[in-house]
Amino acid sequence: MSVTFRVQIYFFLICLSALKGQSRYLEDNDITQDGMFSILNSEIKRGLSERLLYRRPLRCIDMLTMEGQFTFTADHPQLHCAVFFIGEPQEIISIEYSSVNIDCNGGDFIKAFDGWIMKGETFPSSLDHPLPIYERYIDYCETGRLRQAVRSSQNVAMLFFRIHTPGSGFTVTIKKISNPFPCNVISQTPEGSFTMIIPHQHRNCSFSIIYPVEIKISELTLGHFNDLQVKKPVTGCGRAGDFVELLGGSGVDPSKMFPVADLCYSFNGPAEMKIGCDNTVVRMVSSGRFVNRVVFEYRLLERPELEKQKGNSVEDFCYSTD
Amino acid sequence: MKLYLLVSASVLLVAFLPRHECRAIESLGAVHSGPDDQSDLYQQSLPILVRLGEEYFIRLGSANQKAPPSTLNSSPGASSATINRALQVQLTQRLLQGNVGSVNRFLSSYGDQKEDAVEKGKRSEEPPISLDLTFHLLREVLEMARAEQLAQQAHSNRRMMEIIGK
């Protein structure tokens, strides 16, 4: 039977089943008699989403991991407030302002920051982010009326605000948007696994774990060509070519952390490394010529393991700053 | 004929003269926007901080202010601050002097370059707004937020089942 004839037969069969109305059976569900119908009712659907929208007051210093609506009202002058946002690795954060009642001319401000900034150090680092640091702040007082919603480039963001007048405040609605190829990520948990893929992009990506962990790399593919290209070996490490580096440090900025290991060649099979620093980063440097991929797991180092680590001179730099 | 030739030659010369004044402005801009200036100023600026059990402060001072950090007289017997206490603490700090400057986008190209250089210079003098938090406190706040998320997810699932069940 020729391919064309087979395609025609399949098309005919699909049309036949559609015309017979096989799809109608999906709507008639024995489990819930009204069930899907009542769910599909637009009024109930609207009520559902309204009722399920999480709401709570926003604190001056706060951390938010979920979607919802958060309202800050100053009961006294609040001059130094900051909120962290963090999502899953495959999400980016959307911040939408509403009911903003602040006095921009009186010194109040609300500034969203694309990333996290702590002790002057940023994640992603200024080397890994397309914008210079001052352009990563978006001031509501300057752009608010034109730009009611702000979106982050990765799974973390921050909000800084200052309100002088009691009774003033604002509301933010936080939404998470799917990001199919996450680049810079901060992990919410000390344990987990992740696959970082940089497909033909000239960029550097970091996965940060703000705990001392053991990293187990199960697969590293560098310099993978498609079938049409001739495979060439990756030029080695030493800051040339594509590679993966493991970093450890006591800040959030990967560019200020210490390289613990460089991985320059593709391999399969677990390679384990314990990094007893406050922050552990797996960073991939990609030239854009290849599709690079690293698959790894990580788990928290327990106290006995950390005690053992302290005796190891390789990671003394992590403890010297404490 | 000769007059026409002279006029057209002079027009061409004026049109293709090199503009040395633009290069001077570019080099001036480069001086103000060097990343090394920013990192040096970060190192020089003293954090204005208050220590309350856990290390927790917001750095909002400008590079020119040399005042020593202020500290609260917390009681010696104070236990390491719980998260709730840290969140309720009142910080006393000096205000950031001047906001990050707004960019005037409506000047001519010459004015734009010079104005941007001046704005970049002003911004590079002010350290960026940053929150100074230890990793220990950051992890505790993160774990609290995750616990809140799990509780909310359970509550949401329960409500969804109630609604669907009606």
Side-chain angles (χ1 to χ4, degrees), chain B residues 46-132:
Chain B
L46 290 174
I48 298 166
L49 60 93
V50 174
R51 189 185 176 112
L52 295 157
E54 299 286 350
E55 289 178 24
Y56 165 56
F57 49 89
I58 294 179
R59 179 179 305 189
L60 286 175
S62 99
N64 294 327
Q65 295 166 3
K66 300 288 183 186
S70 61
T71 54
L72 279 188
N73 296 322
S74 55
S75 62
S79 58
S80 60
T82 62
I83 298 303
N84 286 334
R85 178 165 171 252
L87 294 176
Q88 288 162 10
V89 160
Q90 298 296 319
L91 304 176
T92 53
Q93 301 179 22
R94 281 179 286 164
L95 294 173
L96 175 68
Q97 290 184 5
N99 258 331
V100 172
S102 59
V103 177
N104 187 335
R105 300 174 195 280
F106 299 108
L107 297 179
S108 64
S109 59
Y110 176 91
D112 265 350
Q113 287 179 10
K114 194 165 183 190
E115 188 75 16
D116 283 351
V118 170
E119 288 294 338
K120 280 179 186 172
K122 276 186 194 166
R123 283 198 294 239
S124 68
E125 291 170 4
E126 300 170 358
I129 296 175
S130 166
L131 178 65
D132 294 351

Side-chain angles (χ1 to χ4, degrees), chain A residues 48 54 56 61 63 65-66 76 80 84 111 117-120 134 137 160 188-189 210-211 250 278, chain B residues 56 58 60 87 90 123 126 128-133 135 139 141-143 146 148-149 152 163:
Chain A
L48 199 71
Y54 181 62
R56 72 151 166 85
I61 304 292
M63 167 86 73
T65 59
M66 53 194 171
H76 58 271
H80 311 285
F84 292 90
K111 296 186 188 189
I117 178 165
M118 283 170 49
K119 298 181 185 176
Y134 287 102
Y137 289 94
F160 294 94
Q188 289 189 31
T189 56
I210 52 170
Y211 295 89
S250 53
D278 277 333
Chain B
Y56 165 56
I58 294 179
L60 286 175
L87 294 176
Q90 298 296 319
R123 283 198 294 239
E126 300 170 358
I129 296 175
S130 166
L131 178 65
D132 294 351
L133 211 61
F135 272 100
R139 287 170 199 147
V141 174
L142 180 56
E143 280 157 26
R146 282 186 55 77
E148 181 188 5
Q149 183 181 13
Q152 170 55 23
I163 290 166

Side-chain angles (χ1 to χ4, degrees), chain A residues 64-101:
Chain A
L64 298 176
T65 59
M66 53 194 171
E67 294 184 329
Q69 205 168 67
F70 305 90
T71 300
F72 181 81
T73 307
D75 50 0
H76 58 271
Q78 294 275 20
L79 305 182
H80 311 285
C81 296
V83 177
F84 292 90
F85 302 100
I86 183 168
E88 297 300 322
Q90 287 92 1
E91 291 173 340
I92 58 173
I93 313 282
S94 166
I95 303 169
E96 200 176 311
Y97 301 106
S98 58
S99 310
V100 178
N101 173 24

Side-chain angles (χ1 to χ4, degrees), chain A residues 43-244:
Chain A
E43 211 175 293
I44 292 177
K45 218 170 154 182
R46 210 178 303 121
L48 199 71
S49 60
E50 274 292 311
R51 274 184 269 182
L52 292 177
L53 180 66
Y54 181 62
R55 290 188 178 90
R56 72 151 166 85
L58 191 67
R59 291 183 283 257
C60 178
I61 304 292
D62 213 336
M63 167 86 73
L64 298 176
T65 59
M66 53 194 171
E67 294 184 329
Q69 205 168 67
F70 305 90
T71 300
F72 181 81
T73 307
D75 50 0
H76 58 271
Q78 294 275 20
L79 305 182
H80 311 285
C81 296
V83 177
F84 292 90
F85 302 100
I86 183 168
E88 297 300 322
Q90 287 92 1
E91 291 173 340
I92 58 173
I93 313 282
S94 166
I95 303 169
E96 200 176 311
Y97 301 106
S98 58
S99 310
V100 178
N101 173 24
I102 63 171
D103 183 7
C104 291
N105 295 327
D108 292 356
F109 65 76
I110 307 171
K111 296 186 188 189
F113 182 77
D114 188 6
W116 276 8
I117 178 165
M118 283 170 49
K119 298 181 185 176
E121 292 187 11
T122 63
F123 183 89
S125 73
S126 49
L127 300 176
D128 297 341
H129 198 281
L131 298 173
I133 187 168
Y134 287 102
E135 289 183 33
R136 291 164 69 174
Y137 289 94
I138 298 167
D139 192 339
Y140 175 84
C141 289
E142 286 178 13
T143 62
R145 277 159 202 85
L146 303 169
R147 203 171 164 183
Q148 292 284 338
V150 170
R151 211 178 264 198
S152 68
S153 308
Q154 59 287 311
N155 77 324
V156 293
M158 284 186 81
L159 203 69
F160 294 94
F161 54 96
R162 170 183 296 165
I163 295 175
H164 290 85
T165 312
S168 297
F170 59 92
T171 297
V172 286
T173 303
I174 306 302
K175 289 181 189 161
K176 307 282 185 64
I177 297 164
S178 178
N179 181 17
F181 286 104
C183 182
N184 295 299
V185 175
I186 295 183
S187 174
Q188 289 189 31
T189 56
E191 277 146 10
S193 61
F194 189 71
T195 299
M196 185 186 288
I197 301 174
I198 305 182
H200 287 295
Q201 289 175 342
H202 176 46
R203 66 192 306 195
N204 307 325
C205 297
S206 300
F207 187 94
S208 170
I209 308 153
I210 52 170
Y211 295 89
V213 292
E214 180 190 44
I215 301 263
K216 191 192 289 187
I217 297 178
S218 54
E219 184 195 324
L220 175 60
T221 306
L222 293 171
H224 176 75
F225 286 86
N226 60 32
D227 291 336
L228 298 175
Q229 291 171 293
V230 176
K231 194 169 182 179
K232 287 182 189 171
V234 176
T235 45
C237 292
R239 303 297 180 252
D242 298 25
F243 60 94
V244 166

Side-chain angles (χ1 to χ4, degrees), chain B residues 34-49:
Chain B
D36 291 334
D37 294 338
Q38 291 184 11
S39 59
D40 285 342
L41 288 163
Y42 290 162
Q43 289 164 6
Q44 289 165 13
S45 68
L46 290 174
I48 298 166
L49 60 93

